[in-house]
Amino acid sequence: MTRRYRTMWMSPPPVILMDVKIGYARCSTKAQDLAGQVAWLGKLGVEQSRIYTDHGYTGRNRKRPSLARALEVARAGDEFVVTKLDRLGRSARDLHEIVDGLVSHGVALNIDGRVYDPTDPMGKMFIGFLAIMAEFESDLNRQRTRAGVEVAKAKGKMRGKQHRLSPLRRSLLLRDYETGKFTIADLSQNYSLKRTSLYANLELARTERAAAELNSVEEELSA
């Protein structure tokens, strides 16, 4: 008697979705390089295929195509990874909106390897502080840029036959002028300058001093 065996087809195992890390990198100008950020995201455990980059987009620009795609693919349980919070944005308001969106979808925020829980009071406070600092640094950079432009404009006004002092002599001229102890005639004679050239040097000295003060503040923040 021949026995017949019924073939049993096994159903495929259920697909288990693992929590993943979504990386995001950004730089403000086309001349900047994203390689450093991308490499660091890889060290933080983000797969190359899950790293989204925006090249030449400022942090204050919310219309960033790769950021939109990265936020779209992030799912509950995932980690959204950036090397610094300011890569997400430079506006405290925008950063809060992005972080709140991640929280509402159950996505954790990973900043340089440290996961922050925005629902926790301490985590929320720390993220808020970072957002304020990111916006402050952005404002500082813009102010420094304006100061640099003013320095260039002031130097441009002094081209030609006008005598221009060295930066050190200009700073001394400004110091003497601000003491109020010297008349314009005295300063013109002491520094061998005509009146028009004297005022041009004073204007440039003020602009250079403002730029130096901004650089000093930035160095303290980055220390």
Side-chain angles (χ1 to χ4, degrees), residues 200-220:
N201 275 280
L202 287 172
E203 180 183 355
L204 179 55
R206 292 191 187 95
T207 306
E208 288 175 332
R209 182 174 62 185
E213 290 173 352
L214 285 173
N215 287 334
S216 177
V217 171
E218 187 177 48
E219 289 175 358
E220 291 180 2

Side-chain angles (χ1 to χ4, degrees), residues 22-27 33-46 51-53 79-90 109-116 126 130:
I22 307 296
Y24 177 72
R26 176 192 63 79
C27 64
D33 190 4
L34 285 168
Q37 291 183 55
V38 172
W40 192 250
L41 288 171
K43 291 182 179 180
L44 294 175
V46 184
I51 296 178
Y52 297 80
T53 61
E79 288 184 15
F80 199 94
V81 188
V82 290
T83 56
K84 291 177 62 179
L85 186 63
D86 62 12
R87 298 305 86 194
L88 276 182
R90 285 286 196 174
L109 177 62
N110 183 324
I111 306 173
D112 195 22
R114 183 172 179 179
V115 181
Y116 294 91
F126 192 75
L130 291 178

Side-chain angles (χ1 to χ4, degrees), residues 90 136-152 207 210-219 222:
R90 285 286 196 174
F136 173 71
E137 289 179 1
S138 175
D139 292 340
L140 188 65
N141 288 335
R142 288 194 297 172
Q143 188 173 357
R144 187 180 64 170
T145 299
R146 287 196 297 267
V149 171
E150 291 301 321
V151 169
T207 306
E213 290 173 352
L214 285 173
N215 287 334
S216 177
V217 171
E218 187 177 48
E219 289 175 358
S222 61

